[in-house]
Amino acid sequence: MMVKKRFLYQMLTLFIVIVLLYSLITSSIIFYKSYQMADAQNNHSNKLYIEQNSNYADFKLRTAMEFVYKISTLQGLIDYRYNTDTNYLYIANLYNELTDQMQGFGQLGFTFGITKITDDLVVTASGTYNIKNYLKELGIDAKALDQVQHMDSPFLASNTYVVPESLSKKPGNIVMIHQMVNSNLEPLYFFIVIDRISLLPGIADNPKGNFYLHTHETISSYIHNKMLDTEVLTQINTLNNQENINHLRVGSTINYIHPSKVIPNLNYVYSSEVTSFGTIFAQIWKAALFPSLLLLLLGIVLAYMATRSSYKPIRQLLHFLDEQRGNSTAASNENANQIHELDYIKSSIEQVYSINHALQDKLDYSFVHLREDFFRKVVYGIASDEFIQENLPLLKLERFKEDLNIILLECEGIGTLDMTVPAPNLSLIFSNLINKIQCEYEDFFTLPLDKNKYCIIFNHISSESLKQIAETVVHTIEKDLSLDITACISSTYQLSELTSALQELLRMSSYQYVTANKVLTAQCVQDLEEAVCYYPIETETCLINYVHSNELGKAYDLLKNLLDHNINQSTLSPVNLSSLKHSILTTFKRCLNTSGTTLNQFVKEYPDILNEFMEAPASKFTEKTFTLFELIFNYCNKEKFCLESSTASQIFIYIHKNFDKDLSLTDIADEFNLSESYVSKLLKSSLDINFKQYVNTLKVKRAKELLNQGNYKVHEVATIVGCNNTNTFIRIFKQYIGVSPGEYVKSLN
């Protein structure tokens, strides 16, 4: 018996040593591969983090610049700019229009100021300042404005200058100065002040690193008050002309650099510590411990089984001797132990298989997102040829290399749909629709561009099948989801030319409401471009604003002038008349969208009105246009024309008769036997301005008329307009006009 045990122990020890060496090598490989995977995931996470936050910041900057361009078209700004003298009437008009425009942008974290510099005044939505006080309010050194006036274009990209940290005393604000130049006029300057926290709201999502805003002059830290490495500063300027995310390893940090697409001389920099092996090991040891222990345990079991198998001939001989001695009971127990060990090995192998299947399912799910990211980079033109060639085989997209066509689906009315179907997955809906179409083609890829626009990429498909798919999708979506949807079909392109395809589709989509067709092709657009009618874009913008602000008289006059110019002063051909109808219908549709409704909703309430308008001859066109416009106007403002309108009108009349008294909400509530809260809510919904502001506006307007006559002193005017305290009157007048009454009288002289 002692010889048997010694022999078994020696063989078992040998096999266990082999198993330990194998387990050690395998575990080392597992830890190393896990480290590589974790490092790659960390790198991808950092890139995704800076890309998302940089794109969000660019969106806020782009919104601010678009608002600047919108303000530049206001009539008040045009009058102010073209007036060479300091005219406070124009300044007041500009202030009122700027205040109206800022109501919709107040929650975005922007404030704006406008100045010509020559009049030493800055007009903002909160009042009028002289330039020195305004710069002091912003915490900006006056040298910043001097640099804008004297810098050359390489340092003043797109006429926009980001004030560096060295010239700013308030680190909570980001200030940009935009210069608008006209060869015949003095330059106009826009101060764009952005709250730093609202510019990058996602900075708290990744607190391990540090986020910087970099220009040619300064570094601004967004998370920790720590300066960027000087070696990184040196290398950033060499990367300004690149569009991709660049990363630089300097010492123990890795720095991701993303250039702004809105301000060319602006870079977003995210600096993070390079992940050490020890850090990664602390994160993954629990995940790697289980397979390592499992392999070790499995190896020990196999070593034990191999030991017993190797000892089988000797065991048979000893077993025969034991049988002769009557030890059959011990042998049966040994067989039972063998069966139990085999069951354990079998269950462990099945568990490993189940883990492999779960990992494969996760890989397949991420595969779709990798393909989507690949196509998005190609379509936006940020993918290099090397990137395309490298990822085509990895993502199994070789068939999409050439002969590609794109359908651009543009949906409107998503906001209304969200109220009934929260966050609809339109990509999945489009894919399911196309799969159900009975045609010879099934190979495509759906790429969402934003919430309203989706690209469907096809390869090797006929134009007839492509048009059939587009028409079916448009018809089904409009019927089932009540969305306004238009499909634009591109020409055939190679994979590397998809950026040109997207540009063609976006240009094509601008004609979507100039034709009755919901599916547009290059030939349709070419035919539409040959039809010419008078319809300036400024007219459309003004008409939409008049409808939104409930100014029916101005809207009527503008529409009448447009129709007179096209019908009374020129002879419209049938093609031009059709083009004019569709252009006007486009404007009416955008009026509905601005009011939160869609054309489909309007048509359900007035089913025949559009057909009557589109079929109207030239002789009846003006009449049908005004009939349709009245319905559109009332539909957009139907919430304002309620039973409360008569009461509101009476209250307005009462205010105009008594504003020159010390009028309050209590006086009005007592006069009409209403509560103060109800009166305030009624005036707010009708005027979109509170009661006190409205009364003060009337007082200031009357005071200007009296001061213009030159027969009254300031304290007399204050008494006439209902201000018992002269100082209160001066404060109100300066708040709305920008100057005191005395200064206003001097400007008149």
Side-chain angles (χ1 to χ4, degrees):
M1 181 63 64
M2 293 299 295
V3 174
K4 175 183 176 182
K5 289 184 177 180
R6 189 182 302 113
F7 184 79
L8 282 175
Y9 289 157
Q10 289 177 351
M11 292 187 64
L12 182 60
T13 302
L14 176 62
F15 281 120
I16 289 179
V17 170
I18 296 174
V19 168
L20 288 175
L21 290 175
Y22 169 79
S23 300
L24 180 61
I25 295 173
T26 305
S27 300
S28 300
I29 295 175
I30 291 175
F31 275 100
Y32 179 73
K33 292 297 182 182
S34 300
Y35 166 74
Q36 286 185 325
M37 183 179 296
D39 184 64
Q41 289 176 347
N42 188 48
N43 188 43
H44 175 74
S45 174
N46 288 337
K47 285 186 177 180
L48 184 62
Y49 171 75
I50 187 174
E51 184 174 9
Q52 290 177 344
N53 284 277
S54 300
N55 290 340
Y56 180 83
D58 275 349
F59 166 76
K60 296 295 290 288
L61 295 178
R62 187 179 295 107
T63 302
M65 296 305 299
E66 289 177 354
F67 184 72
V68 168
Y69 299 141
K70 181 178 180 181
I71 293 176
S72 64
T73 62
L74 297 177
Q75 186 61 44
L77 181 62
I78 295 174
D79 294 338
Y80 168 72
R81 188 179 187 187
Y82 278 83
N83 182 58
T84 57
D85 299 326
T86 303
N87 190 315
Y88 292 99
L89 176 60
Y90 290 154
I91 294 175
N93 292 336
L94 175 58
Y95 163 76
N96 292 331
E97 291 186 356
L98 184 60
T99 303
D100 293 339
Q101 294 295 327
M102 282 299 296
Q103 289 178 358
F105 287 78
Q107 298 178 351
L108 295 179
F110 303 145
T111 58
F112 294 86
I114 304 172
T115 182
K116 291 191 297 187
I117 294 184
T118 55
D119 54 9
D120 195 31
L121 290 177
V122 179
V123 182
T124 69
S126 60
T128 305
Y129 307 82
N130 63 45
I131 294 177
K132 182 178 180 181
N133 290 339
Y134 183 69
L135 293 178
K136 184 178 180 181
E137 178 71 18
L138 297 181
I140 300 301
D141 197 302
K143 295 180 181 179
L145 191 57
D146 296 336
Q147 291 195 25
V148 176
Q149 295 175 303
H150 299 97
M151 273 190 170
D152 297 327
S153 56
F155 300 94
L156 193 61
S158 299
N159 291 339
T160 304
Y161 174 67
V162 183
V163 177
E165 190 178 45
S166 60
L167 299 180
S168 176
K169 299 178 181 178
K170 292 186 177 181
N173 292 334
I174 300 297
V175 181
M176 298 189 300
I177 306 176
H178 178 75
Q179 182 186 55
M180 184 174 292
V181 181
N182 186 306
S183 59
N184 298 324
L185 300 170
E186 291 293 331
L188 194 65
Y189 297 89
F190 293 85
F191 292 90
I192 308 167
V193 185
I194 306 175
D195 184 37
R196 188 177 69 172
I197 296 178
S198 68
L199 184 63
L200 289 173
I203 57 177
D205 297 339
N206 196 348
K208 297 180 180 179
N210 201 7
F211 208 99
Y212 300 89
L213 188 68
H214 173 265
T215 64
H216 289 94
E217 302 179 44
T218 187
I219 295 293
S220 295
S221 174
Y222 274 80
I223 302 178
H224 313 297
N225 189 15
K226 180 181 179 182
M227 296 302 295
L228 197 59
D229 194 284
T230 55
E231 185 176 349
V232 178
L233 295 176
T234 305
Q235 299 187 40
I236 285 179
N237 294 330
T238 63
L239 303 173
N240 281 340
N241 295 326
Q242 301 183 21
E243 297 181 358
N244 296 330
I245 298 177
N246 303 280
H247 61 277
L248 301 172
R249 287 183 180 267
V250 178
S252 62
T253 63
I254 181 169
N255 304 272
Y256 300 87
I257 305 164
H258 190 285
S260 172
K261 299 176 183 178
V262 179
I263 308 299
N265 64 335
L266 187 65
N267 290 286
Y268 305 102
V269 183
Y270 177 67
S271 179
S272 176
E273 293 290 333
V274 177
T275 305
S276 63
F277 181 83
T279 303
I280 297 298
F281 180 83
Q283 295 176 355
I284 67 176
W285 74 270
K286 292 183 179 179
L289 182 63
F290 174 76
S292 299
L293 292 177
L294 181 62
L295 287 174
L296 180 60
L297 181 61
L298 188 61
I300 294 175
V301 172
L302 292 175
Y304 179 76
M305 297 299 296
T307 303
R308 293 181 61 85
S309 177
S310 301
Y311 187 70
K312 186 176 181 180
I314 300 175
R315 185 182 61 187
Q316 289 177 347
L317 177 59
L318 295 176
H319 180 65
F320 174 78
L321 296 175
D322 289 339
E323 284 182 343
Q324 300 299 321
R325 298 174 183 175
N327 295 331
S328 58
T329 303
S332 63
N333 292 334
E334 185 177 356
N335 291 333
N337 291 334
Q338 290 178 354
I339 295 174
H340 177 71
E341 292 170 355
L342 290 175
D343 289 339
Y344 178 79
I345 295 172
K346 182 179 178 181
S347 65
S348 300
I349 294 174
E350 290 176 351
Q351 187 175 7
V352 172
Y353 282 152
S354 65
I355 293 174
N356 288 336
H357 285 305
L359 291 175
Q360 185 64 40
D361 292 339
K362 291 183 179 180
L363 179 62
D364 294 339
Y365 177 75
S366 62
F367 209 57
V368 176
H369 295 279
L370 291 175
R371 286 183 171 183
E372 184 176 302
D373 182 66
F374 171 78
F375 276 116
R376 182 171 284 108
K377 289 182 178 180
V378 173
V379 168
Y380 288 154
I382 60 177
S384 63
D385 293 338
E386 293 78 8
F387 175 83
I388 294 174
Q389 296 300 325
E390 179 182 353
N391 286 274
L392 274 178
L394 295 177
L395 300 177
K396 299 179 181 179
L397 295 174
E398 293 90 342
R399 63 188 184 281
F400 285 94
K401 191 172 183 180
E402 57 186 11
D403 294 336
L404 304 181
N405 297 86
I406 300 180
I407 294 179
L408 176 65
L409 298 173
E410 187 169 356
C411 308
E412 297 191 13
I414 297 293
T416 304
L417 180 63
D418 286 342
M419 298 178 184
T420 56
V421 184
N425 190 343
L426 289 181
S427 295
L428 181 60
I429 294 174
F430 293 146
S431 299
N432 292 336
L433 277 177
I434 297 174
N435 284 325
K436 293 179 181 179
I437 296 175
Q438 298 298 323
C439 64
E440 72 278 5
Y441 191 81
E442 297 181 354
D443 196 6
F444 62 91
F445 188 85
T446 304
L447 176 66
L449 299 182
D450 56 30
K451 189 176 182 180
N452 299 326
K453 296 183 179 66
Y454 296 80
C455 279
I456 304 179
I457 304 172
F458 298 85
N459 72 299
H460 300 288
I461 185 172
S462 63
S463 58
E464 294 77 10
S465 299
L466 203 62
K467 190 171 183 180
Q468 177 190 354
I469 292 173
E471 291 174 348
T472 304
V473 171
V474 169
H475 174 74
T476 306
I477 294 298
E478 287 192 337
K479 178 182 177 183
D480 296 344
L481 299 181
S482 298
L483 292 177
D484 291 334
I485 182 171
T486 305
C488 300
I489 303 176
S490 74
S491 305
T492 303
Y493 289 89
Q494 304 298 318
L495 178 62
S496 59
E497 300 172 346
L498 287 189
T499 303
S500 301
L502 179 61
Q503 293 174 353
E504 177 192 3
L505 290 170
L506 294 177
R507 183 182 67 86
M508 197 180 299
S509 66
S510 62
Y511 292 90
Q512 57 181 302
Y513 295 104
V514 184
T515 176
N517 296 327
K518 288 290 187 177
V519 178
L520 297 179
T521 61
Q523 184 60 43
C524 295
V525 172
Q526 183 178 357
D527 295 339
L528 292 172
E529 289 175 340
E530 295 176 357
V532 180
C533 62
Y534 174 76
Y535 201 88
I537 190 172
E538 295 83 3
T539 300
E540 180 189 56
T541 303
C542 292
L543 189 61
I544 294 173
N545 291 335
Y546 289 153
V547 172
H548 182 62
S549 60
N550 195 13
E551 298 180 79
L552 182 60
K554 293 182 179 179
Y556 258 108
D557 294 339
L558 186 64
L559 186 59
K560 184 177 183 300
N561 292 334
L562 176 66
L563 296 177
D564 290 344
H565 193 284
N566 282 281
I567 296 177
N568 298 337
Q569 299 182 13
S570 62
T571 302
L572 282 178
S573 65
V575 175
N576 289 348
L577 178 61
S578 176
S579 176
L580 181 60
K581 289 179 180 179
H582 289 294
S583 299
I584 292 177
L585 185 60
T586 301
T587 302
F588 291 169
K589 174 197 164 295
R590 290 174 179 165
C591 291
L592 291 168
N593 291 340
T594 304
S595 301
T597 58
T598 64
L599 189 62
N600 282 349
Q601 294 172 325
F602 175 77
V603 171
K604 288 180 180 178
E605 189 165 337
Y606 303 97
D608 300 325
I609 190 65
L610 289 187
N611 292 333
E612 295 177 2
F613 172 74
M614 297 303 298
E615 296 173 0
S619 59
K620 297 288 186 178
F621 177 60
T622 300
E623 176 185 350
K624 294 296 182 182
T625 300
F626 277 108
T627 301
L628 176 60
F629 175 70
E630 290 177 358
L631 294 175
I632 294 285
F633 187 90
N634 293 335
Y635 194 84
C636 292
N637 296 278
K638 61 182 179 181
E639 294 183 356
K640 300 177 183 178
F641 298 126
C642 56
L643 294 176
E644 299 173 344
S645 299
S646 58
T647 304
S649 300
Q650 296 177 20
I651 292 176
F652 293 156
I653 294 173
Y654 181 80
I655 291 175
H656 277 266
K657 289 182 178 180
N658 298 277
F659 74 87
D660 54 354
K661 303 175 183 177
D662 191 10
L663 190 63
S664 65
L665 276 176
T666 304
D667 299 332
I668 298 176
D670 294 341
E671 177 70 21
F672 292 91
N673 196 23
L674 300 171
S675 67
E676 293 185 27
S677 61
Y678 178 79
V679 173
S680 177
K681 181 179 179 181
L682 181 60
L683 295 177
K684 182 67 176 178
S685 62
S686 302
L687 292 172
D688 200 19
I689 191 174
N690 64 42
F691 165 75
K692 199 65 177 178
Q693 290 177 333
Y694 186 62
V695 172
N696 287 341
T697 301
L698 296 178
K699 291 179 182 292
V700 170
K701 183 178 180 181
R702 178 57 178 161
K704 287 175 60 179
E705 295 175 355
L706 296 173
L707 292 174
N708 289 337
Q709 295 177 10
N711 299 326
Y712 301 95
K713 297 182 179 179
V714 173
H715 70 276
E716 294 174 339
V717 173
T719 303
I720 293 174
V721 300
C723 291
N724 298 328
N725 190 316
T726 304
N727 291 331
T728 301
F729 167 70
I730 294 174
R731 178 179 56 80
I732 295 174
F733 190 92
K734 188 172 183 179
Q735 178 183 355
Y736 283 84
I737 304 302
V739 294
S740 65
E743 294 174 343
Y744 180 77
V745 173
K746 291 180 180 179
S747 67
L748 295 178
N749 297 331

